[in-house]
Amino acid sequence: MCGIIAYTGKRQAAGILYDGLTRLEYRGYDSAGIAVVNGLRLDYVKRAGRVSAVADARALSGTCGVGHTRWATHGGAEDRNAHPHVCGKFAVVHNGIIENYAVLKRELTDMGHSFSSDTDSETVSHLLSSFYRGDFLSAVRQTVEQLRGSFALCVLCSDFPETIVCVRQKSPLILGRAKDGMLAASDIPALGGCREICVLSDGQIACLTPADCKLFSFSLAPLPCKFTASDLKSCVAEKKGFAHFMRKEISQEGAAVVRTARAFDEAEARRLFGCVPYAEAFSRIFLVGCGTAYHSALTGARLLEETLRIPVAAELASEFCCRKPLLGRHALVLAVSQSGETADTLAAARLAKQKGARLAVLTNAGYSSLARLSDHCFLTEAGVEVGVAATKTYAAQLAFFYALCAFLRGEKAAYLRRFPAIHKKLSEGEEQIRLLAAEIVRARGVYFIGRGADYASALEGSLKLREVSYLPGAGYAAGELKHGSIALMDGDAVVVAVATGKALKEKMRTSVCEVRSRGAKVIAVTPFDDIPADHVLALPACPQKYYPLLTQVPLQLLAYHAALCRGLDPDRPRNLAKSVTVE
Ligand code: AGP
């Protein structure tokens, strides 16, 4: 999704902004731009394409500026829709959605404003211009009063050549203090080099000058501004000899799992579940998330329900708010999100709070909006994940659920300590996976099936393959095939059958026979040697409940190699963003 970077200080801004944009590239975007105040003039460059398309912006002169990577929502990926949007003395970069932009645009047009883009964001620069009477902050206040929706804004005004005004409402914005100036960014990695940070809250306006930051409410009442020390060096992402971040991050899963299990916050878990027996703390539990986080929630829900013996359901966050879930003070909602900024998950979390449920969050980003909204925050220790496809954060989320359930049973999830060695062994099968990937890319469709705990693995394996290789397909509960989707099976279909459940083996054998007899090629991911598949990706034997953690390794590698076979960059799948900050 869109990324924001802003700088005011002693150095030339453009190079710093360009560097910040390159650190935001991993979020997914389709255009980029930079504006600086040059004397009392605004200079800017913005174009559709990659950040490198605005490399010439590095020559812009001025010590105060803003930069943006745009992920198109309103209006296509064209130069004119890229940010910053400039109107009169104002340049604006915006993340989020201005929900009432159509009304505002109509009113501004009636007042004589003419628009040069199709975006919702451009209304902000026009509003600023229309309200401005020489007082920068007051123009921002009046503008913000008009806006509905989600917005993180960084605004330049050419009358104030050293000032950036930042606004946060339901879209993240973090301030950073560097040696030679102040920065603002939508995402921590862009603030590398800052020794202190301040995470803005919703409803706050910050006024940045080279050596100072003043904080206000939306009505311009002064607020205390507290920066905290932070070591952001570790956020600088490097491939460390790997061809892609995705492959590097898969290789880091062993360490991510061990770190997450070790860091499991027992004190927070005790606070959350409050009493012994823990099963009495809540009458029902909802795990909400999107995409991969939803798939880990499916596994987490199974494990938790088995452990607590109370109803635990995994829910798609985007659907959670579309019905009337049974929330209240006896319900716990655990929101799962690596980024902690996913708009759908945030909406579900807000609904939970509004209805009086307890809100816990599992995230990889301690500074994120979800972390700040939660009553109880648990962290995965996966480290920064740059690849758009979630890999090591998924493994870390699973590790958290194993650690949580072990804690609730009064045990330790000792098996997780062995995972790095098992991961290494699983990775030794990469050459076989590469050859199979070369085969499956010729299929018309690739379908993943599983039963019981393997169903979530099938969904995740399929999502991973689709997002990085664009191969059509889906994940199905194996038992559901015969109720419709078996119609897809023929000689051009490939089926990846995840079969790890001992008690479900015979049923999986039947599903495999059914699809093979219709011509589909079957790859089994299994510890068993009697699944009648065309190819077997063998899993080592392990305690039954840990198979989802093992299964995801060959499935992620299969997706990675399928992307390479198709000549695609798995780190930057088309149309996708690392952090999906719009609903
Ligand atoms: C995963 O590979 C995807 N990129 C996507 O499904 C992702 O898991 C989803 O958007 C949720 O993101 P979150 O964990 O940051 O909330």
Side-chain angles (χ1 to χ4, degrees):
M1 294 267 125
C2 305
I4 285 180
I5 176 79
Y7 171 82
T8 178
K10 292 188 187 140
R11 290 160 60 201
Q12 285 296 308
I16 296 168
L17 297 172
Y18 185 83
D19 189 41
L21 291 185
T22 59
R23 291 178 198 221
L24 289 169
E25 279 196 290
Y26 78 98
R27 289 168 64 100
Y29 69 101
D30 42 47
S31 43
I34 286 176
V36 294
V37 192
N38 181 2
L40 290 179
R41 190 180 80 210
L42 290 169
D43 288 338
Y44 62 99
V45 176
K46 56 177 193 170
R47 286 189 194 104
R50 311 228 58 96
V51 168
S52 54
V54 296
D56 53 333
R58 284 177 293 185
L60 296 178
S61 170
T63 57
C64 175
V66 294
H68 192 262
T69 49
R70 172 175 187 260
W71 187 83
T73 56
H74 298 64
E78 296 171 40
D79 293 356
R80 67 197 181 90
N81 290 331
H83 298 215
H85 290 287
V86 177
C87 179
K89 296 179 180 219
F90 292 92
V92 176
V93 290
H94 166 227
N95 282 6
I97 305 272
I98 308 296
E99 287 167 3
N100 57 336
Y101 84 100
V103 180
L104 295 171
K105 197 167 173 175
R106 215 174 307 124
E107 287 170 4
L108 286 157
T109 309
D110 289 347
M111 285 160 61
H113 287 254
S114 61
F115 285 76
S116 48
S117 80
D118 301 325
T119 65
D120 53 333
S121 312
E122 195 188 352
T123 51
V124 181
S125 57
H126 286 264
L127 282 171
L128 286 160
S129 253
S130 71
F131 287 124
Y132 185 61
R133 303 282 179 274
D135 184 339
F136 190 177
L137 269 177
S138 160
V140 171
R141 178 185 62 75
Q142 292 176 81
T143 298
V144 164
E145 268 174 16
Q146 302 296 314
L147 304 178
R148 301 286 166 269
S150 56
F151 43 91
L153 303 167
C154 284
V155 185
L156 301 178
C157 174
S158 55
D159 283 348
F160 298 83
E162 293 196 315
T163 303
I164 302 166
V165 177
C166 310
V167 180
R168 172 182 169 144
Q169 178 65 6
K170 294 192 195 161
S171 240
L173 202 55
I174 303 146
L175 311 178
R177 198 195 298 276
K179 265 207 306 263
D180 51 24
M182 303 291 291
L183 290 98
S186 51
D187 208 352
I188 293 271
L191 291 177
C194 289
R195 288 288 162 265
E196 288 183 324
I197 62 163
C198 166
V199 184
L200 286 185
S201 295
D202 287 347
Q204 292 188 334
I205 296 177
C207 184
L208 299 183
T209 48
D212 195 21
C213 169
K214 290 200 165 39
L215 208 58
F216 304 92
S217 68
F218 275 5
S219 57
L220 293 189
L223 298 171
C225 180
K226 221 175 122 199
F227 278 75
T228 51
S230 175
D231 177 16
L232 298 178
K233 260 197 296 195
S234 56
C235 294
V236 180
E238 286 162 15
K239 288 188 193 148
K240 296 252 164 78
F242 287 90
H244 300 95
F245 282 111
M246 181 177 176
R247 185 63 191 87
K248 175 190 155 198
E249 285 157 3
I250 293 172
S251 81
Q252 292 175 321
E253 286 173 351
V257 162
V258 170
R259 274 202 309 270
T260 299
R262 205 176 284 149
F264 176 74
D265 192 341
E266 292 194 356
E268 192 62 65
R270 235 171 258 123
R271 268 195 295 281
L272 171 59
F273 286 92
C275 54
V276 178
Y278 294 118
E280 286 172 16
F282 302 101
S283 61
R284 62 179 60 230
I285 300 179
F286 298 97
L287 269 55
V288 295
C290 301
T292 293
Y294 167 67
H295 298 152
S296 80
L298 281 171
T299 300
R302 267 186 92 82
L303 294 169
L304 270 173
E305 192 167 85
E306 272 166 27
T307 306
L308 293 172
R309 302 312 297 158
I310 57 167
V312 185
E315 302 254 359
L316 286 166
S318 54
E319 286 293 316
F320 196 60
C321 303
C322 301
R323 59 188 190 84
K324 292 185 181 142
L326 293 172
L327 296 169
R329 68 190 179 87
H330 295 298
L332 164 65
V333 173
L334 171 54
V336 185
S337 168
Q338 61 81 22
S339 66
E341 301 294 351
T342 300
D344 289 317
T345 313
L346 269 163
R350 288 193 186 105
L351 177 72
K353 285 203 94 167
Q354 195 188 320
K355 300 281 177 201
R358 193 83 66 82
L359 176 67
V361 161
L362 175 63
T363 180
N364 202 43
Y367 294 114
S368 62
S369 305
L370 268 170
R372 289 151 58 80
L373 188 68
S374 66
D375 304 311
H376 304 270
C377 183
F378 295 94
L379 295 175
T380 47
E381 296 288 338
V384 175
E385 186 175 72
V386 173
V388 164
T391 53
K392 61 176 175 171
T393 53
Y394 179 64
Q397 284 164 0
L398 295 181
F400 166 83
F401 288 121
Y402 291 120
L404 173 62
C405 290
F407 163 82
L408 293 169
R409 286 193 306 271
E411 299 166 3
K412 293 261 177 248
Y415 182 78
L416 296 179
R417 284 205 294 272
R418 294 170 54 190
F419 184 62
I422 294 162
H423 191 284
K424 197 158 166 262
K425 197 162 170 33
L426 285 165
S427 305
E428 283 165 14
E430 189 163 359
E431 182 53 17
Q432 185 201 3
I433 293 171
R434 196 182 62 77
L435 296 172
L436 283 177
E439 210 167 296
I440 67 168
V441 294
R442 291 197 291 267
R444 184 185 31 77
V446 184
Y447 307 98
F448 290 68
I449 59 171
R451 274 177 187 266
D454 295 331
Y455 172 47
S457 303
L459 291 181
E460 174 57 13
S462 174
L463 176 71
K464 211 91 306 175
L465 184 72
R466 277 176 283 141
E467 75 174 327
V468 299
S469 77
Y470 318 155
L471 283 170
Y476 297 115
E480 276 295 296
L481 266 188
K482 57 188 175 295
H483 297 292
S485 305
I486 200 159
L488 295 165
M489 298 303 146
D490 61 17
D492 292 326
V494 167
V495 171
V496 179
V498 184
T500 70
K502 219 184 249 167
L504 301 170
K505 191 171 80 172
E506 289 315 317
K507 286 194 163 74
M508 277 306 290
R509 281 172 57 90
T510 305
S511 300
V512 167
C513 291
E514 281 168 3
V515 296
R516 278 191 85 195
S517 61
R518 282 151 183 94
K521 285 261 171 311
V522 176
I523 300 170
V525 181
T526 182
F528 307 123
D529 56 12
D530 53 355
I531 301 291
D534 297 281
H535 305 278
V536 173
L537 291 174
L539 299 173
C542 80
Q544 191 66 54
K545 63 172 173 272
Y546 286 102
Y547 275 114
L549 188 58
L550 272 58
T551 306
Q552 44 103 29
V553 181
L555 294 185
Q556 289 172 359
L557 287 171
L558 188 66
Y560 172 74
H561 284 289
L564 298 194
C565 285
R566 304 198 74 201
L568 300 169
D569 177 355
D571 288 341
R572 289 176 183 168
R574 69 182 177 204
N575 304 337
L576 295 180
K578 182 70 187 160
S579 153
V580 184
T581 49
V582 292
E583 277 181 61

